[in-house]
């Protein structure tokens, strides 16, 4: 990697870090080029050089979130596979989604949802990832209907946790017990 590429890469990461902080602290509607530039300590032109539009900035946030989630999920899945555990993809998804997604990055997730509402194509990388997870689950699991129920339950739990604002009809302090119950169900499929 050349020094120029390294600076470009680092400045992109700095800008994405700043965008995440703005989303977390101020909410999805406050993720603007100007706000991110101020937070990152770079010029508006510096942000626009790396992300030519707000949509591209949000796309970058989503892509980075997907890659982080994919890495976490794959590490959990590989650990379960090494241990010879049944249904490793579904069980890793339960742990990854519920442990990490339910408890973190609400502002970032809301920024991504807001951008997706304006341009649903931004969610295509997430769609591809979920289709791949589902294909893996179908090859590992004997009870596809049971797996689908768990997959949907996980999605619902993550969504209501992300939306916040009192959307969850249950106490979110009970997430650990939910995760344990989901994992028990997944072991039995």
């Amino acid at each position: 990697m050349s020094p120029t590429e390294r600076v470009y890469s680092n400045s992109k990461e700095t800008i994405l870090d700043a965008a995440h902080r703005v989303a977390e602290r101020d909410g999805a509607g406050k993720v603007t080029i100007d706000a991110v530039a101020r937070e990152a300590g770079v010029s508006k032109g510096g942000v626009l050089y790396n992300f030519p539009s707000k949509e591209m900035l949000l796309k970058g946030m989503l892509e980075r979130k997907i890659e982080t989630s994919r890495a976490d999920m794959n590490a959990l899945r590989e650990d379960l596979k090494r241990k010879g555990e049944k249904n490793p993809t579904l069980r890793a998804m339960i742990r990854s989604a519920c442990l990490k997604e339910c408890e973190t990055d609400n502002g970032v997730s809301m920024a991504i949802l807001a951008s997706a509402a304006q341009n649903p194509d931004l969610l295509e990388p997430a769609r591809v990832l979920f289709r791949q997870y589902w294909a893996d689950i179908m090859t590992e699991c004997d009870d596809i209907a049971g797996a689908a129920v768990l997959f949907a339950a996980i999605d619902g739990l993550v969504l209501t946790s992300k939306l916040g604002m009192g959307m969850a009809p249950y106490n979110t302090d009970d997430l650990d017990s939910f995760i344990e119950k989901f994992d028990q169900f997944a072991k039995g499929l």
Side-chain angles (χ1 to χ4, degrees), residues 41-189:
V42 301
S43 68
K44 183 176 180 178
V47 173
L48 291 170
Y49 174 80
N50 288 285
F51 301 99
S53 67
K54 180 179 175 180
E55 184 174 290
M56 294 302 294
L57 175 63
L58 293 169
K59 181 180 179 189
M61 290 174 69
L62 175 61
E63 287 172 350
R64 186 163 89 165
K65 183 151 181 61
I66 286 171
E67 286 310 310
T68 301
S69 295
R70 181 191 328 253
D72 292 342
M73 166 79 176
N74 287 341
L76 289 167
R77 178 174 45 196
E78 291 309 311
D79 184 52
L80 289 166
K81 282 182 178 180
R82 273 192 301 280
K83 293 176 181 175
E85 296 281 345
K86 190 174 179 186
N87 300 321
T89 302
L90 181 60
R91 293 180 63 209
M93 195 173 176
I94 290 166
R95 293 176 187 180
S96 178
C98 295
L99 288 174
K100 293 188 172 56
E101 299 302 317
C102 290
E103 297 174 356
T104 60
D105 287 349
N106 284 338
V108 174
S109 296
M110 293 307 291
I112 291 166
L113 287 174
S115 65
Q118 291 178 8
N119 182 355
D121 292 340
L122 289 178
L123 288 179
E124 188 56 27
R127 289 184 194 105
V128 169
L129 182 63
F130 286 143
R131 283 192 295 267
Q132 182 58 56
Y133 288 158
W134 184 247
D136 293 344
I137 288 168
M138 287 179 42
T139 63
E140 297 168 356
C141 190
D142 295 329
D143 182 353
I144 300 303
V149 168
L150 278 175
F151 198 99
I154 294 163
D155 281 349
L157 186 67
V158 170
L159 181 63
T160 56
S161 296
K162 291 294 181 193
L163 290 176
M165 302 173 285
M167 292 294 295
Y170 45 80
N171 184 347
T172 54
D173 294 336
D174 295 330
L175 286 176
D176 288 339
S177 65
F178 297 164
I179 293 166
E180 181 61 34
K181 186 59 81 173
F182 286 160
D183 194 53
Q184 288 174 7
F185 289 150
K187 283 181 189 177
L189 296 178

